[in-house]
Amino acid sequence: PIACPITSPPDLVATTALLTIRCTRCIYDCFSFRVKVALYRVIRRASLMTELYFYEDCYLTELTAQVIETGENWVKLNRTLCYPLGGGQPGDTGRLIHSRGITDIVNTTKQIESADVLHHTDPGADQVQPTEGDTVTVQINWQRRHQHMRMHTAMHLLGSLIKFPVTGGQVGAGKSRLDINLEGVQLDKALLTEQLNHLIESNVSLV
């Protein structure tokens, strides 16, 4: 089985390091992601970590939250919809809207010690950060996030057709990379392109 569902017609061309394919929806319904959601919910009930709303609704683009801690160039919230850097996928960007103005989010990462999410801000920008206790509206750069989601799906589709171990990868909005141990085998780029586009255009059901 392929790792992600395709439920809408292809409407995006994604260029990878290997080939060009037309891809559609996202990684967020795949089996591995559902496992992560289940684990997160168990951990969340036993801790005070940031509530991760992208696990509940990956199409959510705006959310109201409260600032619980700040640093020189980061803000920690009680809940977020920003996906943090990890697993080969970039962290979300966006902005925080609050009573003091608008603060750009230039990256999102996960704090190593607590697994809380940090929303990184630009210390050089002429912007005022929110302070602890402030209520903020979190808005993500949806176009960029959606590109990442579609690219992630494209990588799973590619991996489903190549019967060799995947050793890594990197998702990006403009291009993505899948690292595969081919053991000296030469792939047929034209054939892979044809097979991938057939999967997508067939609107296959995936698990």
Side-chain angles (χ1 to χ4, degrees):
I2 304 171
C4 306
I6 295 180
T7 59
S8 59
D11 58 358
L12 179 76
V13 173
T15 303
T16 73
L18 179 65
L19 69 171
T20 299
I21 61 174
R22 294 186 294 278
C23 64
T24 175
R25 280 190 69 189
C26 71
I27 181 59
Y28 294 99
D29 292 319
C30 78
F31 175 75
S32 62
F33 192 81
R34 292 197 297 270
V35 171
K36 289 180 181 179
V37 171
L39 290 174
Y40 158 72
R41 287 173 175 164
V42 171
I43 296 170
R44 180 69 185 84
R45 285 194 291 267
S47 70
L48 297 176
M49 66 181 289
T50 307
E51 294 183 69
L52 308 178
Y53 272 69
F54 54 81
Y55 280 146
E56 309 298 332
D57 181 1
C58 62
Y59 288 90
L60 191 65
T61 61
E62 183 175 303
L63 178 73
T64 300
Q66 187 174 28
V67 178
I68 57 176
E69 190 177 349
T70 62
E72 182 179 354
N73 63 341
W74 55 265
V75 176
K76 187 188 297 186
L77 306 173
N78 66 328
R79 54 184 181 171
T80 188
L81 48 76
C82 294
Y83 187 89
L85 170 71
Q89 183 153 316
D92 279 329
T93 59
R95 60 182 186 172
L96 302 173
I97 303 173
H98 49 93
S99 60
R100 294 173 175 79
I102 297 176
T103 305
D104 290 332
I105 302 170
V106 298
N107 193 17
T108 306
T109 63
K110 187 178 291 184
Q111 197 171 32
I112 297 175
E113 310 84 58
S114 65
D116 279 330
V117 172
L118 300 181
H119 306 78
H120 295 269
T121 60
D122 185 354
D126 187 20
Q127 297 176 339
V128 179
Q129 284 202 165
T131 60
E132 187 174 334
D134 282 354
T135 297
V136 300
T137 298
V138 188
Q139 294 180 343
I140 62 169
N141 181 337
W142 170 246
Q143 183 176 3
R144 181 174 179 268
R145 155 78 80 78
H146 205 199
Q147 292 281 86
H148 291 160
M149 291 161 67
R150 290 174 168 183
M151 281 288 195
H152 206 147
T153 296
M155 296 300 95
H156 278 271
L157 290 173
L158 178 59
S160 75
L161 293 172
I162 302 175
K163 307 306 179 183
F164 292 92
V166 174
T167 59
Q170 181 68 49
V171 173
K175 63 180 180 180
S176 299
R177 188 193 79 249
L178 194 63
D179 303 328
I180 301 172
N181 182 6
L182 295 176
E183 302 172 1
V185 174
Q186 189 72 28
L187 296 177
D188 186 331
K189 177 179 175 179
L191 177 61
L192 273 176
T193 299
E194 180 182 344
Q195 291 173 331
L196 279 165
N197 285 328
H198 176 72
L199 280 177
I200 295 161
E201 290 165 358
S202 299
N203 201 25
V204 294
S205 297
L206 307 177
V207 295

